[in-house]
Amino acid sequence: MVYTNLNRIQFGNGDVSVMVSMAGTRKDPQAMLVFQNQEPTRIGRIEEDADLRRTKLGVYNPSQDFAMLFSNPESIDSVISALLAVKKATFGENNLAHIYLDEKSVKD
C-alpha cells in the first residue's frame, strides 16, 4: 500500500502497482517508477526482455502516488544493489533478522 502521508510504501500483498515511465527531455531524460495503490493481485514482475515500446497510458497523481526519478543510470544500479542486499539480509539463508528485529512485532 502507498501511504503518501507517511512517505512510505508497504510491499508484499500485491496491492502496489509499479508503473515504468520517463520524465525530463530527450536531451536530459529521467527514468521514472511510479508506485500506485491497486486492488490486491498476484505479485508480478517485468521481465528483462519485455518489449517496453508497447505502452499503456497511466496517470501520475502526486497526492496519491509515489515516484522515483533517476537522472543517472548509476543511481538505478545503486538502488538495485541496496534492494538485493536487504533481500539477502532479511529473507536469505543465514539472514540477520535475529540481530535487527525483536520477537514481538511493532505495529503502526
Side-chain angles (χ1 to χ4, degrees), residues 48-87:
E48 281 191 50
D49 62 348
D51 184 0
L52 298 179
R53 293 175 297 171
R54 299 174 70 193
T55 61
K56 179 178 134 187
L57 285 179
V59 177
Y60 167 56
N61 183 340
S63 66
Q64 296 178 358
D65 306 333
F66 185 88
M68 294 175 67
L69 291 102
F70 301 89
S71 57
N72 185 324
E74 291 173 346
S75 298
I76 295 172
D77 294 336
S78 177
V79 171
I80 290 170
S81 70
L83 289 169
L84 290 172
V86 75
K87 176 183 172 183

Side-chain angles (χ1 to χ4, degrees), residues 8-81:
R8 177 178 176 172
I9 304 172
Q10 178 71 43
F11 293 96
N13 297 313
D15 57 358
V16 177
S17 169
V18 182
M19 180 173 57
V20 175
S21 190
M22 289 182 205
T25 65
R26 288 182 182 171
K27 184 178 176 192
D28 294 309
Q30 295 177 338
M32 183 176 182
L33 292 178
V34 178
F35 302 91
Q36 300 174 317
N37 288 320
Q38 67 179 13
E39 289 298 316
T41 186
R42 184 182 63 80
I43 297 172
R45 63 185 304 146
I46 299 172
E47 298 300 328
E48 281 191 50
D49 62 348
D51 184 0
L52 298 179
R53 293 175 297 171
R54 299 174 70 193
T55 61
K56 179 178 134 187
L57 285 179
V59 177
Y60 167 56
N61 183 340
S63 66
Q64 296 178 358
D65 306 333
F66 185 88
M68 294 175 67
L69 291 102
F70 301 89
S71 57
N72 185 324
E74 291 173 346
S75 298
I76 295 172
D77 294 336
S78 177
V79 171
I80 290 170
S81 70

